[in-house]
Amino acid sequence: MVFSNLGDLIDRSREQDKPAIIDLGFAGSPRKYSYGEFDALAHGTARALQEKGFKRGTRVALLAA
């Protein structure tokens, strides 16, 4: 499967309240994100980039530890 944007990672056929990501990168309890929460975060990221002047289809990179 080829992903062309962050939103492509969302499997919308899944139940949106089911866990999609479990983040173990922080001390304490792991952070869990449902498919619906991840979709909302991806949409928020896209909206913030558009507000900064990025056009739809512009390539951006994610850098994370």
Side-chain angles (χ1 to χ4, degrees):
M1 179 176 274
V2 176
F3 301 111
S4 62
N5 64 52
L6 189 59
D8 289 343
L9 296 174
I10 312 302
D11 184 352
R12 289 179 180 84
S13 68
R14 300 244 179 182
E15 294 180 49
Q16 295 299 294
D17 62 335
K18 297 287 184 185
I21 297 174
I22 300 173
D23 181 359
L24 303 173
F26 293 93
S29 299
R31 292 206 252 175
K32 297 179 183 179
Y33 298 92
S34 69
Y35 284 96
E37 290 170 323
F38 188 64
D39 191 21
L41 290 168
H43 182 72
T45 300
R47 195 171 51 247
L49 289 169
Q50 286 179 334
E51 289 172 3
K52 296 261 186 216
F54 289 86
K55 303 292 183 211
R56 184 181 200 106
T58 301
R59 292 180 182 207
V60 296
L62 299 175
L63 177 62

PDB file of all heavy atoms in Angstrom, residues 38-60:
ATOM      1  N   PHE A  38      -6.830   9.950  15.835  1.00  0.00           N
ATOM      2  CA  PHE A  38      -5.723  10.108  14.888  1.00  0.00           C
ATOM      3  C   PHE A  38      -6.187  10.838  13.634  1.00  0.00           C
ATOM      4  O   PHE A  38      -5.479  11.698  13.109  1.00  0.00           O
ATOM      5  CB  PHE A  38      -5.124   8.735  14.546  1.00  0.00           C
ATOM      6  CG  PHE A  38      -3.874   8.826  13.728  1.00  0.00           C
ATOM      7  CD1 PHE A  38      -2.733   9.421  14.229  1.00  0.00           C
ATOM      8  CD2 PHE A  38      -3.842   8.314  12.454  1.00  0.00           C
ATOM      9  CE1 PHE A  38      -1.579   9.498  13.469  1.00  0.00           C
ATOM     10  CE2 PHE A  38      -2.686   8.390  11.680  1.00  0.00           C
ATOM     11  CZ  PHE A  38      -1.552   8.988  12.201  1.00  0.00           C
ATOM     12  N   ASP A  39      -7.386  10.526  13.175  1.00  0.00           N
ATOM     13  CA  ASP A  39      -7.946  11.215  12.009  1.00  0.00           C
ATOM     14  C   ASP A  39      -8.105  12.699  12.305  1.00  0.00           C
ATOM     15  O   ASP A  39      -7.752  13.554  11.487  1.00  0.00           O
ATOM     16  CB  ASP A  39      -9.286  10.592  11.634  1.00  0.00           C
ATOM     17  CG  ASP A  39      -9.813  11.047  10.288  1.00  0.00           C
ATOM     18  OD1 ASP A  39      -9.018  11.526   9.451  1.00  0.00           O
ATOM     19  OD2 ASP A  39     -11.024  10.924  10.061  1.00  0.00           O
ATOM     20  N   ALA A  40      -8.604  13.026  13.492  1.00  0.00           N
ATOM     21  CA  ALA A  40      -8.774  14.434  13.877  1.00  0.00           C
ATOM     22  C   ALA A  40      -7.426  15.144  13.969  1.00  0.00           C
ATOM     23  O   ALA A  40      -7.292  16.300  13.553  1.00  0.00           O
ATOM     24  CB  ALA A  40      -9.524  14.529  15.206  1.00  0.00           C
ATOM     25  N   LEU A  41      -6.403  14.472  14.506  1.00  0.00           N
ATOM     26  CA  LEU A  41      -5.068  15.067  14.590  1.00  0.00           C
ATOM     27  C   LEU A  41      -4.478  15.310  13.205  1.00  0.00           C
ATOM     28  O   LEU A  41      -3.873  16.356  12.952  1.00  0.00           O
ATOM     29  CB  LEU A  41      -4.138  14.170  15.410  1.00  0.00           C
ATOM     30  CG  LEU A  41      -4.431  14.108  16.914  1.00  0.00           C
ATOM     31  CD1 LEU A  41      -3.649  12.964  17.551  1.00  0.00           C
ATOM     32  CD2 LEU A  41      -4.107  15.426  17.576  1.00  0.00           C
ATOM     33  N   ALA A  42      -4.650  14.355  12.300  1.00  0.00           N
ATOM     34  CA  ALA A  42      -4.152  14.517  10.928  1.00  0.00           C
ATOM     35  C   ALA A  42      -4.855  15.686  10.245  1.00  0.00           C
ATOM     36  O   ALA A  42      -4.222  16.498   9.563  1.00  0.00           O
ATOM     37  CB  ALA A  42      -4.348  13.231  10.132  1.00  0.00           C
ATOM     38  N   HIS A  43      -6.173  15.788  10.446  1.00  0.00           N
ATOM     39  CA  HIS A  43      -6.934  16.888   9.841  1.00  0.00           C
ATOM     40  C   HIS A  43      -6.477  18.229  10.424  1.00  0.00           C
ATOM     41  O   HIS A  43      -6.313  19.207   9.688  1.00  0.00           O
ATOM     42  CB  HIS A  43      -8.430  16.674  10.076  1.00  0.00           C
ATOM     43  CG  HIS A  43      -9.291  17.713   9.448  1.00  0.00           C
ATOM     44  ND1 HIS A  43      -9.479  17.797   8.089  1.00  0.00           N
ATOM     45  CD2 HIS A  43      -9.983  18.735   9.985  1.00  0.00           C
ATOM     46  CE1 HIS A  43     -10.272  18.819   7.823  1.00  0.00           C
ATOM     47  NE2 HIS A  43     -10.586  19.407   8.966  1.00  0.00           N
ATOM     48  N   GLY A  44      -6.250  18.262  11.732  1.00  0.00           N
ATOM     49  CA  GLY A  44      -5.784  19.493  12.373  1.00  0.00           C
ATOM     50  C   GLY A  44      -4.414  19.912  11.864  1.00  0.00           C
ATOM     51  O   GLY A  44      -4.148  21.099  11.658  1.00  0.00           O
ATOM     52  N   THR A  45      -3.536  18.944  11.647  1.00  0.00           N
ATOM     53  CA  THR A  45      -2.211  19.235  11.099  1.00  0.00           C
ATOM     54  C   THR A  45      -2.329  19.819   9.696  1.00  0.00           C
ATOM     55  O   THR A  45      -1.680  20.820   9.371  1.00  0.00           O
ATOM     56  CB  THR A  45      -1.342  17.964  11.083  1.00  0.00           C
ATOM     57  OG1 THR A  45      -1.212  17.477  12.422  1.00  0.00           O
ATOM     58  CG2 THR A  45       0.025  18.236  10.497  1.00  0.00           C
ATOM     59  N   ALA A  46      -3.173  19.212   8.876  1.00  0.00           N
ATOM     60  CA  ALA A  46      -3.378  19.710   7.509  1.00  0.00           C
ATOM     61  C   ALA A  46      -3.940  21.131   7.529  1.00  0.00           C
ATOM     62  O   ALA A  46      -3.489  21.995   6.777  1.00  0.00           O
ATOM     63  CB  ALA A  46      -4.317  18.784   6.746  1.00  0.00           C
ATOM     64  N   ARG A  47      -4.907  21.366   8.401  1.00  0.00           N
ATOM     65  CA  ARG A  47      -5.520  22.697   8.502  1.00  0.00           C
ATOM     66  C   ARG A  47      -4.481  23.738   8.939  1.00  0.00           C
ATOM     67  O   ARG A  47      -4.414  24.838   8.385  1.00  0.00           O
ATOM     68  CB  ARG A  47      -6.688  22.643   9.481  1.00  0.00           C
ATOM     69  CG  ARG A  47      -7.611  23.826   9.414  1.00  0.00           C
ATOM     70  CD  ARG A  47      -8.883  23.663  10.240  1.00  0.00           C
ATOM     71  NE  ARG A  47      -8.605  23.255  11.617  1.00  0.00           N
ATOM     72  CZ  ARG A  47      -8.941  22.071  12.141  1.00  0.00           C
ATOM     73  NH1 ARG A  47      -9.562  21.170  11.418  1.00  0.00           N
ATOM     74  NH2 ARG A  47      -8.658  21.777  13.393  1.00  0.00           N
ATOM     75  N   ALA A  48      -3.634  23.379   9.924  1.00  0.00           N
ATOM     76  CA  ALA A  48      -2.604  24.311  10.400  1.00  0.00           C
ATOM     77  C   ALA A  48      -1.592  24.619   9.291  1.00  0.00           C
ATOM     78  O   ALA A  48      -1.174  25.775   9.138  1.00  0.00           O
ATOM     79  CB  ALA A  48      -1.890  23.724  11.618  1.00  0.00           C
ATOM     80  N   LEU A  49      -1.217  23.618   8.507  1.00  0.00           N
ATOM     81  CA  LEU A  49      -0.288  23.858   7.401  1.00  0.00           C
ATOM     82  C   LEU A  49      -0.909  24.763   6.342  1.00  0.00           C
ATOM     83  O   LEU A  49      -0.238  25.652   5.804  1.00  0.00           O
ATOM     84  CB  LEU A  49       0.157  22.533   6.781  1.00  0.00           C
ATOM     85  CG  LEU A  49       1.095  21.686   7.646  1.00  0.00           C
ATOM     86  CD1 LEU A  49       1.257  20.287   7.056  1.00  0.00           C
ATOM     87  CD2 LEU A  49       2.436  22.367   7.817  1.00  0.00           C
ATOM     88  N   GLN A  50      -2.201  24.563   6.060  1.00  0.00           N
ATOM     89  CA  GLN A  50      -2.879  25.433   5.090  1.00  0.00           C
ATOM     90  C   GLN A  50      -2.940  26.863   5.600  1.00  0.00           C
ATOM     91  O   GLN A  50      -2.767  27.806   4.834  1.00  0.00           O
ATOM     92  CB  GLN A  50      -4.275  24.905   4.796  1.00  0.00           C
ATOM     93  CG  GLN A  50      -4.260  23.673   3.922  1.00  0.00           C
ATOM     94  CD  GLN A  50      -5.650  23.124   3.649  1.00  0.00           C
ATOM     95  OE1 GLN A  50      -6.578  23.319   4.426  1.00  0.00           O
ATOM     96  NE2 GLN A  50      -5.791  22.433   2.535  1.00  0.00           N
ATOM     97  N   GLU A  51      -3.157  27.037   6.899  1.00  0.00           N
ATOM     98  CA  GLU A  51      -3.186  28.386   7.479  1.00  0.00           C
ATOM     99  C   GLU A  51      -1.819  29.057   7.396  1.00  0.00           C
ATOM    100  O   GLU A  51      -1.729  30.279   7.372  1.00  0.00           O
ATOM    101  CB  GLU A  51      -3.672  28.323   8.929  1.00  0.00           C
ATOM    102  CG  GLU A  51      -5.148  28.001   9.040  1.00  0.00           C
ATOM    103  CD  GLU A  51      -5.612  27.752  10.464  1.00  0.00           C
ATOM    104  OE1 GLU A  51      -4.791  27.880  11.406  1.00  0.00           O
ATOM    105  OE2 GLU A  51      -6.789  27.401  10.638  1.00  0.00           O
ATOM    106  N   LYS A  52      -0.755  28.275   7.345  1.00  0.00           N
ATOM    107  CA  LYS A  52       0.609  28.809   7.209  1.00  0.00           C
ATOM    108  C   LYS A  52       0.957  29.105   5.753  1.00  0.00           C
ATOM    109  O   LYS A  52       2.050  29.564   5.457  1.00  0.00           O
ATOM    110  CB  LYS A  52       1.623  27.815   7.773  1.00  0.00           C
ATOM    111  CG  LYS A  52       1.486  27.565   9.242  1.00  0.00           C
ATOM    112  CD  LYS A  52       2.472  28.388   9.983  1.00  0.00           C
ATOM    113  CE  LYS A  52       2.415  28.022  11.456  1.00  0.00           C
ATOM    114  NZ  LYS A  52       2.630  29.158  12.294  1.00  0.00           N
ATOM    115  N   GLY A  53       0.038  28.788   4.835  1.00  0.00           N
ATOM    116  CA  GLY A  53       0.266  29.117   3.435  1.00  0.00           C
ATOM    117  C   GLY A  53       0.620  27.932   2.545  1.00  0.00           C
ATOM    118  O   GLY A  53       0.801  28.104   1.342  1.00  0.00           O
ATOM    119  N   PHE A  54       0.712  26.743   3.119  1.00  0.00           N
ATOM    120  CA  PHE A  54       0.987  25.566   2.300  1.00  0.00           C
ATOM    121  C   PHE A  54      -0.254  25.212   1.487  1.00  0.00           C
ATOM    122  O   PHE A  54      -1.367  25.231   2.011  1.00  0.00           O
ATOM    123  CB  PHE A  54       1.376  24.362   3.170  1.00  0.00           C
ATOM    124  CG  PHE A  54       2.730  24.479   3.799  1.00  0.00           C
ATOM    125  CD1 PHE A  54       2.892  25.135   5.011  1.00  0.00           C
ATOM    126  CD2 PHE A  54       3.848  23.939   3.183  1.00  0.00           C
ATOM    127  CE1 PHE A  54       4.136  25.242   5.602  1.00  0.00           C
ATOM    128  CE2 PHE A  54       5.094  24.054   3.760  1.00  0.00           C
ATOM    129  CZ  PHE A  54       5.240  24.705   4.975  1.00  0.00           C
ATOM    130  N   LYS A  55      -0.065  24.902   0.236  1.00  0.00           N
ATOM    131  CA  LYS A  55      -1.179  24.519  -0.633  1.00  0.00           C
ATOM    132  C   LYS A  55      -1.398  23.014  -0.556  1.00  0.00           C
ATOM    133  O   LYS A  55      -0.467  22.247  -0.278  1.00  0.00           O
ATOM    134  CB  LYS A  55      -0.896  24.919  -2.088  1.00  0.00           C
ATOM    135  CG  LYS A  55      -0.627  26.394  -2.274  1.00  0.00           C
ATOM    136  CD  LYS A  55      -1.874  27.188  -2.012  1.00  0.00           C
ATOM    137  CE  LYS A  55      -1.590  28.662  -2.269  1.00  0.00           C
ATOM    138  NZ  LYS A  55      -2.360  29.538  -1.451  1.00  0.00           N
ATOM    139  N   ARG A  56      -2.615  22.589  -0.822  1.00  0.00           N
ATOM    140  CA  ARG A  56      -2.939  21.159  -0.855  1.00  0.00           C
ATOM    141  C   ARG A  56      -2.012  20.471  -1.861  1.00  0.00           C
ATOM    142  O   ARG A  56      -1.806  20.964  -2.964  1.00  0.00           O
ATOM    143  CB  ARG A  56      -4.389  20.978  -1.268  1.00  0.00           C
ATOM    144  CG  ARG A  56      -4.835  19.547  -1.239  1.00  0.00           C
ATOM    145  CD  ARG A  56      -6.286  19.427  -1.688  1.00  0.00           C
ATOM    146  NE  ARG A  56      -6.817  18.182  -1.218  1.00  0.00           N
ATOM    147  CZ  ARG A  56      -7.670  18.041  -0.219  1.00  0.00           C
ATOM    148  NH1 ARG A  56      -8.142  19.097   0.381  1.00  0.00           N
ATOM    149  NH2 ARG A  56      -8.073  16.853   0.151  1.00  0.00           N
ATOM    150  N   GLY A  57      -1.415  19.362  -1.449  1.00  0.00           N
ATOM    151  CA  GLY A  57      -0.512  18.625  -2.313  1.00  0.00           C
ATOM    152  C   GLY A  57       0.958  18.968  -2.115  1.00  0.00           C
ATOM    153  O   GLY A  57       1.826  18.285  -2.640  1.00  0.00           O
ATOM    154  N   THR A  58       1.255  20.035  -1.354  1.00  0.00           N
ATOM    155  CA  THR A  58       2.636  20.386  -1.070  1.00  0.00           C
ATOM    156  C   THR A  58       3.253  19.305  -0.201  1.00  0.00           C
ATOM    157  O   THR A  58       2.634  18.841   0.751  1.00  0.00           O
ATOM    158  CB  THR A  58       2.720  21.739  -0.330  1.00  0.00           C
ATOM    159  OG1 THR A  58       2.131  22.743  -1.129  1.00  0.00           O
ATOM    160  CG2 THR A  58       4.150  22.111   0.004  1.00  0.00           C
ATOM    161  N   ARG A  59       4.454  18.901  -0.531  1.00  0.00           N
ATOM    162  CA  ARG A  59       5.126  17.872   0.253  1.00  0.00           C
ATOM    163  C   ARG A  59       5.797  18.492   1.473  1.00  0.00           C
ATOM    164  O   ARG A  59       6.450  19.531   1.374  1.00  0.00           O
ATOM    165  CB  ARG A  59       6.167  17.150  -0.584  1.00  0.00           C
ATOM    166  CG  ARG A  59       5.538  16.334  -1.668  1.00  0.00           C
ATOM    167  CD  ARG A  59       6.589  15.628  -2.467  1.00  0.00           C
ATOM    168  NE  ARG A  59       5.948  14.881  -3.526  1.00  0.00           N
ATOM    169  CZ  ARG A  59       6.450  13.812  -4.073  1.00  0.00           C
ATOM    170  NH1 ARG A  59       7.631  13.368  -3.682  1.00  0.00           N
ATOM    171  NH2 ARG A  59       5.812  13.176  -5.020  1.00  0.00           N
ATOM    172  N   VAL A  60       5.613  17.852   2.615  1.00  0.00           N
ATOM    173  CA  VAL A  60       6.286  18.258   3.845  1.00  0.00           C
ATOM    174  C   VAL A  60       6.891  16.984   4.454  1.00  0.00           C
ATOM    175  O   VAL A  60       6.464  15.877   4.149  1.00  0.00           O
ATOM    176  CB  VAL A  60       5.338  18.940   4.853  1.00  0.00           C
ATOM    177  CG1 VAL A  60       4.792  20.233   4.292  1.00  0.00           C
ATOM    178  CG2 VAL A  60       4.212  18.022   5.258  1.00  0.00           C
TER     179      VAL A  60
END
